[in-house]
Amino acid sequence: MFTDFFYILRQNKVPVSLVEWMTLMEALAKGHIKNLDEFYFLARAILVKSEAYYDQYDIAFQQYFQGVEAPEEITEQVLDWLKDPLSRLFLSEEEQAKFESMDFDELIKELEKRLEEQTGQHDGGGHWIGRGGTSPFGHSGYHPAGIRIGGQPGGRHAVQIAQERRFKNYRSDLTLDVRQIGMALKKLRQLRRTGLEDELDLEGTIKATAKNAGDLDFIWQRSRKNTVKLLLLMDVGGSMEPFAMLCSQLFSAAHSSTHFKDFQYYYFHNCIYDYLYKDVEREDAISTVHLLHTLEPDYKLLLVGDARMGPWELTERYGAINYYERNEIPGILWLKRIRDHFSHCVWLNPDDPRFWIHATVQMIGKLFPMYSLTLGGLEEAVGKLVVAK
Amino acid sequence: MKKDNFAQFSGSEDYVTSEPIRNAVNVSIALGRPLLIRGEAGTGKTLLAHSIARGLEKKLTIWNVKSTTKAQEGLYVYDTVQRLNDSRFGDKDVGDIKQYIKLGKLGQAFIAPEQVVLLIDEVDKADIEFPNDLLNELDEMSFYIPETNETISAIHRPITVITSNAEKELPDAFLRRCIFHYIEFPTPELMEEIVRVHFPDIKDNLISEALKTFYSLRKVDDFRKKPSTSELLDWIRALIAGGIPHEDIAKQVPFVGTLLKKENDYDFFVRNFATRRW
C-alpha cells in the first residue's frame, strides 16, 4: 500500500526508514484514517522527523497524489462557471460523514461524470460543480476531500496544504542566521582533559571513599577544555559581493564563538598567492609562507569563496587578478601547499551548486572537499572537519 | 484498539489545538510511541503535555532535563552515600539495598497504578548521547536494576511527550521510534482564539489592535528574538491591567518591554519606532 510514496519520499531526500514505514502501515491497519487530510498529517508525523524536511515531504506528497489536481482542460472548461469566490460553508457532521467515504479515484471519476451531466453555471447546493456549496468539486466550497478548480480555496485540504509549501523556510539547505551558524560551528568542539589535575572527580571520590570503609579519599582529574583551533580564509570583493552578508554572518558566528582555543582569519581575493590580508581592503598583508610556518597543522581550515575565476588566475605564473602581485607560483600550487599543510580543511562555497561545473570550481573542488554555504552544507563541512582528511 | 478509541485527545479548555497537533497526539497514543514536539520558543510545547493530561484526566509526571542530566537518573538512583552514612551512624538494616534504590521520573511513571502522561522536557539540553541511552527503556517500557536483581516494567505504557528546542541534533535511532510534530507559529485567526481562551472578556477592538501590532512587530527581521505567544499574552495582560484604550496601542505600543526581551531589540525598536520602518 502506497509503496511508491515511500520511494518518492526517498527520492526527495526525506530520510525515511523501513522502521518508520512499518509504523505507518501499523497505524493505517488500525483504521485511523478517514480521509486524505488525516493521511497527510499522520504520515508526516510518523515519517518526517524534522521540520527541515517538511518542504520535501510536501513536494513528494504532491508528486504522489498529483492526479488529484484537476486536469488542465477540465479547469478551463469549468473556470467560466467559477468566477468569484463565495463565502465558505461549514458542513454538519452528518454531511461530513457522507463525504468521507469517497476516495480520490472515485472523486476524479465522479468529477468527470458530473462534468458531462452538467450544462450550466451553478452556485451553492451540494451536487453540481460551482461556487460555494458542499459538492466536492468547484471552489470556495467546503468538502473534506474536495477538488478545487481555480479560484481561492475555502476549506484547505491536504494536497492544497502540500502545495502551499509553507515549510520552505525550514529547509536545511537554505542559509540561515548567525545563531544557527554558531550552533553548527559548535559541533567542531573537541573536549579533552588537559592541564593539572585540579577538578574533583565526585563519582570516583564516592567510590574510593566507600571502598576505603568510609574514610574520605579524594580523587582528582584534569578539567575538560576545548582544544580546537580555527583558521578562516575568506574570498572578498568581486564576484563575492553578492554573498558579503552571508560571509559576514559566518564570520560573526565564528568570531563570537568562545569555544575555540584560537581563532584566526585572513582575507584573499579570488585565489591565494604569496600574501594573505588581515583586512577586507587587503592593505595589511602577511606572507602566506610565514603563516604556514607559524600555524600548526592541527588548525582546522575553513576556506570560503565562490572559487570562480579566470582559469589563468589559478594555473598561470603572474596570473593574479591584481597585476602587481606578480606571483611566481601559480595559485593552484599555493592552494595545494596550504592543503598539504593542514590536516583538516574544507571549502565552503556560497554559490549555487548548479554553477559548480565552472572549470576553476572543479579544479579547487578536487583539492578541497567543497560544501555549499548553507546550514546543511555547513553541518556536513563541520562533520568533515572533525575527522582528518 | 477500536477505531472509536482513536480520537481520544481533543484539546482542553485552556489550550487551543489545531488539527495536526490533535492528530499527532492521537497517533502517538494509539501506537504507544513517544511524541516528539518541536517548535519556536513560546509556542506551547510544554503546555501541550499539561493539556493532554488535563484533557484525558491523567496524572502528569514531568522530567525536566538539564545539561547535567544523565539517562540513568530517570530510571533509578542508588543512594550509596546514604547507605554509607547509615552503616556508620544509623540503625537501619544496610543489608536491605532496596531502600536505597530511588526510582527516577521514568521509573515512577512505569510503576504508577494508572496510566500517566510523562513529559520529558527539553531533551536536547542533555548530553548528545542522552536520548540513545533511553532507547531501549522507551521501546520495551522496562528496565533492570542489577543491585536488587529486579526488573521494573510498565504497568501501563505512559503517554510520553518529549519536547526539544533543536539545540542539538537528536540521534536517528531515537527519532525513528518517535512520532514527530513541529508546532508552527499560530496564524492570526488561531492566535485570536488562543487569546480569547486566556482573556474571555477581552474587548474586540483591543484584541484586533493588539494582534495587528504584534504581527507587524514579528515581521521585523532585525529583531534577534521575535516576540512569541507567551509574550503576547503577557503584553495583553499588561494592556488590560493598565487600562490602555485600544486606539493608543498601535500609536504608542505601550509596555513594549514585555514583548521585546533583548536590549538590542529594544534599542532598535526605540530608534525606528518614530519612522515606522517596517
Side-chain angles (χ1 to χ4, degrees):
Chain A
M1 202 165 27
F2 298 118
T3 312
D4 289 345
F5 186 43
F6 178 72
Y7 288 105
I8 289 178
L9 282 170
R10 303 226 9 147
Q11 265 170 30
N12 279 288
K13 305 261 187 287
V14 184
V16 192
S17 73
L18 263 180
V19 180
E20 283 143 340
W21 191 251
M22 294 318 291
T23 310
L24 177 65
M25 292 301 119
E26 191 189 329
L28 290 177
K30 286 188 173 170
H32 295 324
I33 298 304
K34 293 196 281 307
N35 55 38
L36 195 68
D37 285 18
E38 289 190 6
F39 179 78
Y40 171 86
F41 291 119
L42 176 90
R44 196 177 73 182
I46 294 176
L47 301 177
V48 189
K49 296 301 158 63
S50 165
E51 69 276 15
Y53 296 112
Y54 275 8
D55 187 45
Q56 281 105 316
Y57 175 83
D58 282 351
I59 293 174
F61 193 88
Q62 273 180 65
Q63 280 175 9
Y64 185 71
F65 293 100
Q66 62 189 346
V68 172
E69 259 298 83
E72 204 55 45
E73 57 281 8
I74 300 180
T75 313
E76 270 175 22
Q77 194 179 353
V78 183
L79 263 178
D80 295 338
W81 307 330
L82 309 164
K83 279 197 180 114
D84 303 308
L86 299 181
S87 60
R88 188 161 87 155
L89 204 84
F90 288 97
L91 295 184
S92 72
E93 269 180 35
E94 190 192 324
E95 280 174 304
Q96 190 142 9
K98 207 168 69 193
F99 283 121
E100 271 162 6
S101 49
M102 292 192 188
D103 74 24
F104 273 84
D105 285 346
E106 268 174 53
L107 272 181
I108 289 289
K109 263 183 235 146
E110 187 72 5
L111 171 63
E112 282 164 2
K113 199 175 104 209
R114 287 187 200 179
L115 269 178
E116 276 168 27
E117 288 168 6
Q118 184 171 355
T119 48
Q121 181 169 337
H122 183 89
D123 288 349
H127 182 75
W128 294 114
I129 304 161
R131 298 178 287 180
T134 59
S135 159
F137 308 114
H139 75 68
S140 306
Y142 185 82
H143 182 276
I147 296 178
R148 178 167 63 83
I149 306 171
Q152 290 298 309
R156 299 178 329 139
H157 302 302
V159 176
Q160 292 161 2
I161 295 170
Q163 277 171 351
E164 280 178 23
R165 296 186 54 198
R166 279 176 303 156
F167 295 96
K168 252 197 316 217
N169 292 335
Y170 296 110
R171 286 180 78 132
S172 60
D173 50 357
L174 296 177
T175 43
L176 293 144
D177 63 18
V178 177
R179 182 185 144 75
Q180 280 160 315
I181 296 171
M183 291 305 301
L185 286 177
K186 210 169 169 180
K187 290 193 187 130
L188 267 180
R189 189 163 63 165
Q190 278 176 353
L191 294 171
R192 289 241 177 81
R193 296 201 176 275
T194 52
L196 287 172
E197 292 187 344
D198 56 357
E199 202 178 78
L200 181 68
D201 176 3
L202 198 61
E203 295 242 317
T205 303
I206 291 170
K207 270 203 184 126
T209 306
K211 256 194 199 148
N212 212 7
D215 285 331
L216 271 178
D217 185 1
F218 289 110
I219 304 290
W220 301 93
Q221 63 187 357
R222 297 184 167 95
S223 61
R224 301 204 302 172
K225 283 191 187 101
N226 192 8
T227 53
V228 168
K229 294 173 280 186
L230 186 70
L231 172 63
L232 182 65
L233 301 180
M234 295 170 102
D235 183 359
V236 283
S239 56
M240 285 294 286
E241 276 313 327
F243 311 114
M245 174 74 181
L246 192 60
C247 292
S248 83
Q249 282 181 336
L250 175 71
F251 175 79
S252 53
H255 197 82
S256 61
S257 295
T258 48
H259 41 260
F260 296 117
K261 193 179 171 197
D262 187 31
F263 171 59
Q264 301 211 17
Y265 55 93
Y266 297 96
Y267 300 95
F268 61 93
H269 184 41
N270 277 6
C271 186
I272 300 173
Y273 307 101
D274 304 60
Y275 293 97
L276 281 155
Y277 302 89
K278 287 182 181 161
D279 51 352
V280 184
E281 294 76 29
R282 296 190 300 280
E283 278 161 5
D284 191 359
I286 174 172
S287 115
T288 309
V289 175
H290 173 74
L291 201 73
L292 291 182
H293 276 304
T294 49
L295 296 183
E296 297 94 355
D298 61 348
Y299 270 81
K300 312 251 181 202
L301 173 61
L302 211 55
L303 282 145
V304 181
D306 61 358
R308 253 148 63 118
M309 57 195 100
W312 59 90
E313 289 178 53
L314 203 54
T315 54
E316 299 290 316
R317 201 167 147 231
Y318 304 141
I321 190 164
N322 177 359
Y323 174 77
Y324 296 101
E325 283 216 14
R326 309 288 291 164
N327 58 308
E328 291 289 342
I329 302 170
I332 189 92
L333 286 183
W334 275 115
L335 290 178
K336 197 165 173 313
R337 267 191 199 181
I338 290 169
R339 186 204 61 174
D340 292 343
H341 181 75
F342 296 104
S343 55
H344 301 74
C345 39
V346 290
W347 189 290
L348 286 171
N349 194 331
D351 222 348
D352 191 319
R354 278 181 300 159
F355 303 126
W356 293 7
I357 45 166
H358 192 275
T360 56
V361 184
Q362 293 279 323
M363 281 157 86
I364 291 174
K366 283 200 184 111
L367 281 180
F368 298 96
M370 195 177 280
Y371 300 93
S372 65
L373 185 45
T374 60
L375 199 60
L378 187 61
E379 275 170 6
E380 274 178 62
V382 164
K384 182 80 190 166
L385 276 184
V386 173
V387 295
K389 68 187 169 196
Chain B
M1 200 178 275
K2 278 192 307 204
K3 198 175 168 180
D4 342 341
N5 282 349
F6 178 62
Q8 287 194 13
F9 174 67
S10 52
S12 61
E13 269 175 30
D14 50 358
Y15 187 85
V16 180
T17 56
S18 62
E19 195 195 330
I21 298 185
R22 283 195 295 275
N23 250 313
V25 172
N26 288 324
V27 170
S28 108
I29 297 175
L31 297 179
R33 287 178 196 247
L35 175 65
L36 175 66
I37 296 287
R38 241 164 46 185
E40 231 181 277
T43 41
K45 297 186 287 292
T46 308
L47 285 178
L48 176 65
H50 288 267
S51 164
I52 295 173
R54 251 195 311 273
L56 302 178
E57 292 175 353
K58 294 193 189 299
K59 259 183 75 180
L60 179 67
T61 304
I62 304 174
W63 183 13
N64 278 312
V65 177
K66 305 197 173 70
S67 61
T68 52
T69 307
K70 297 214 167 59
Q72 182 67 32
E73 292 165 21
L75 308 177
Y76 71 94
V77 179
Y78 176 24
D79 194 347
T80 46
V81 177
Q82 180 66 47
R83 183 162 174 251
L84 179 66
N85 184 59
D86 285 356
S87 78
R88 304 190 95 196
F89 312 112
D91 47 3
K92 281 191 207 156
D93 174 18
V94 288
D96 179 16
I97 293 176
K98 225 172 168 177
Q99 59 182 326
Y100 301 107
I101 301 281
K102 304 224 163 74
L103 288 182
K105 293 291 182 189
L106 203 61
Q108 287 170 18
F110 284 0
I111 60 156
E114 282 168 30
Q115 189 183 38
V116 297
V117 177
L118 172 68
L119 168 65
I120 305 179
D121 210 5
E122 314 205 35
V123 73
D124 53 334
K125 287 266 184 302
D127 192 72
I128 223 155
E129 284 304 318
F130 175 86
N132 271 342
D133 295 344
L134 285 177
L135 276 187
N136 200 41
E137 284 71 17
L138 287 175
D139 248 8
E140 310 273 325
M141 291 285 174
S142 71
F143 59 90
Y144 174 67
I145 306 180
E147 283 89 348
T148 55
N149 194 21
E150 252 186 315
T151 303
I152 304 275
S153 44
I155 304 172
H156 301 281
R157 276 182 102 90
I159 298 170
T160 314
V161 179
I162 303 170
T163 70
S164 158
N165 283 318
E167 284 195 10
K168 288 195 193 89
E169 202 147 314
L170 298 169
D172 286 345
F174 176 78
L175 290 176
R176 274 201 289 276
R177 287 164 171 85
C178 294
I179 305 294
F180 174 79
H181 184 75
Y182 179 83
I183 302 189
E184 280 176 84
F185 198 81
T187 57
E189 293 80 32
L190 189 63
M191 187 60 96
E192 186 173 336
E193 219 180 300
I194 294 171
V195 173
R196 283 189 191 281
V197 165
H198 289 264
F199 306 99
D201 306 324
I202 191 167
K203 289 193 191 74
D204 283 350
N205 27 21
L206 180 75
I207 197 170
S208 68
E209 283 301 310
L211 284 180
K212 227 191 290 165
T213 312
F214 174 74
Y215 276 93
S216 71
L217 281 177
R218 266 189 67 84
K219 269 194 217 126
V220 182
D221 282 328
D222 294 287
F223 288 142
R224 292 209 177 163
K225 159 94 179 67
K226 292 186 179 182
S228 65
T229 313
S230 50
E231 274 117 29
L232 172 70
L233 293 176
D234 284 347
W235 185 51
I236 291 183
R237 190 165 298 129
L239 290 179
I240 294 175
I244 306 293
H246 65 87
E247 56 268 17
D248 288 352
I249 293 176
K251 259 186 275 165
Q252 300 175 358
V253 197
F255 312 120
V256 73
T258 51
L259 287 175
L260 303 173
K261 302 281 174 70
K262 296 223 175 201
E263 215 179 303
N264 307 26
D265 292 351
Y266 188 78
D267 289 347
F268 180 85
F269 175 81
V270 173
R271 258 184 290 121
N272 294 286
F273 178 65
T275 48
R276 294 261 164 181
R277 280 195 298 157
W278 55 67

